[in-house]
Amino acid sequence: MMLHVCLLVTALALALAGSAAAQERLVSLPAPEGISLFERASEKAGFWPLMATFVSQNTQSYCGIASSVMALNALGVSPPPAPLWYPYPHWDQTNIFTLAVLQVKAANSVEAEGLTVAELARVLVASGARAKPVFAGDTDLAAFRAAARQVLANPAAVLLVNYFRATLGQGEGGHISPAAAYNAEADSFLLLDVARYKYKPTWIPADLLFAAMNTVDPSSHKTRGYVVVRK
């Protein structure tokens, strides 16, 4: 019994140490280093369109919905009427639940479970965009980096990333947010976290971000990954 407790304590200590080490590698965008990374970013064509449409998720499980709304607005995909904004065309976290999207996943199910990578892509397609999901387990860091850089250099495309927060030292649970820039010198990606009440936009090293994506989503029993979105 005592040995079992000791092993659990040791495992917890190692996990906490790994979490702290991961957190130390993250750089907040508003920090001087974060600003410098942005100024020297090699790919950031989609940053301003996304910033112009930046929203916080309405509920703690609406990260995929908020990220989709940002992508659709940034790319100029025609939205259905939004009661709160009519007659101005605008996607929000209510009008995105059209009949086509509800057939992908009901709003109450999204609120309870969130979205998987595959469901995220299907929601975007049902909303009129083109979306290609990629599972981290089907690729590698080098291929992800190359694909992501192409997207981030193109203002007509958006990269949405699904990752496991614990790998980044940010607590537990899966999360989805848009990536908005890449700095080749630091080999880091800028994520615009839609949980703005918890985390500011943050630079994340590519290897750490890929490791966070290359984790199993218990809802799909597949690895997390990313979605490339185009109009």
Side-chain angles (χ1 to χ4, degrees), residues 4 23 43 58 73 82 86 98 108 118 120 133 143 151 166 168 176 178 190 197 218 231:
H4 182 63
Q23 278 187 314
E43 286 85 21
N58 283 351
N73 281 323
Y86 183 82
T98 60
N108 60 348
L120 176 66
V151 175
L168 307 183
I176 297 169
L190 176 63
Y197 48 87
K231 185 173 180 179

Side-chain angles (χ1 to χ4, degrees), residues 68 71 75 116-126 128-136 138-139 143-144 147-148 150-151 156-162 213 224-231:
S68 296
L75 294 172
T116 66
V117 169
E119 289 170 340
L120 176 66
R122 290 173 61 199
V123 163
L124 288 157
V125 170
R130 291 180 291 152
K132 178 183 178 182
V134 179
F135 297 98
D138 294 336
T139 186
F144 163 65
Q150 284 189 340
V151 175
V158 172
L159 179 69
L160 303 183
V161 181
N162 178 209
M213 292 192 299
R224 298 175 172 89
Y226 64 94
V227 176
V228 176
V229 192
R230 294 183 173 87
K231 185 173 180 179

Side-chain angles (χ1 to χ4, degrees), residues 22 70 86 90-91 102 113 151 168-169 174 202 219:
M70 286 178 63
Y86 183 82
H90 189 76
W91 289 95
L102 290 171
E113 306 168 356
V151 175
L168 307 183
T202 300
S219 297

Side-chain angles (χ1 to χ4, degrees), residues 43-224:
E43 286 85 21
K44 54 184 176 183
F47 174 82
W48 293 113
L50 283 169
M51 282 301 297
T53 63
F54 202 166
V55 298
S56 292
Q57 58 194 75
N58 283 351
T59 74
Q60 300 220 27
S61 56
Y62 263 35
C63 55
I65 295 299
S67 297
S68 296
V69 164
M70 286 178 63
L72 293 165
N73 281 323
L75 294 172
V77 177
S78 297
L84 293 177
W85 310 113
Y86 183 82
Y88 303 102
H90 189 76
W91 289 95
D92 63 30
Q93 295 173 66
T94 299
N95 72 343
I96 192 173
F97 284 102
T98 60
L99 179 59
V101 168
L102 290 171
Q103 290 174 340
V104 173
K105 195 163 190 175
N108 60 348
S109 295
V110 176
E111 190 161 352
E113 306 168 356
L115 294 171
T116 66
V117 169
E119 289 170 340
L120 176 66
R122 290 173 61 199
V123 163
L124 288 157
V125 170
S127 300
R130 291 180 291 152
K132 178 183 178 182
V134 179
F135 297 98
D138 294 336
T139 186
D140 58 28
L141 173 58
F144 163 65
R145 183 191 293 110
R149 293 185 70 171
Q150 284 189 340
V151 175
L152 297 174
N154 182 1
V158 172
L159 179 69
L160 303 183
V161 181
N162 178 209
Y163 56 98
F164 188 49
R165 280 204 185 277
T167 308
L168 307 183
Q170 293 183 333
E172 292 295 324
H175 191 59
I176 297 169
S177 283
Y182 174 76
N183 183 298
E185 296 175 16
D187 191 23
S188 292
F189 289 95
L190 176 63
L191 257 62
L192 303 181
D193 199 322
V194 294
R196 292 196 293 175
Y197 48 87
K198 292 172 67 177
Y199 298 105
K200 296 179 175 67
T202 300
W203 287 98
I204 302 173
D207 64 320
L208 191 58
L209 179 58
F210 186 78
M213 292 192 299
N214 197 22
T215 52
V216 175
D217 184 336
S219 297
S220 65
H221 305 293
K222 295 183 178 180
T223 56
R224 298 175 172 89

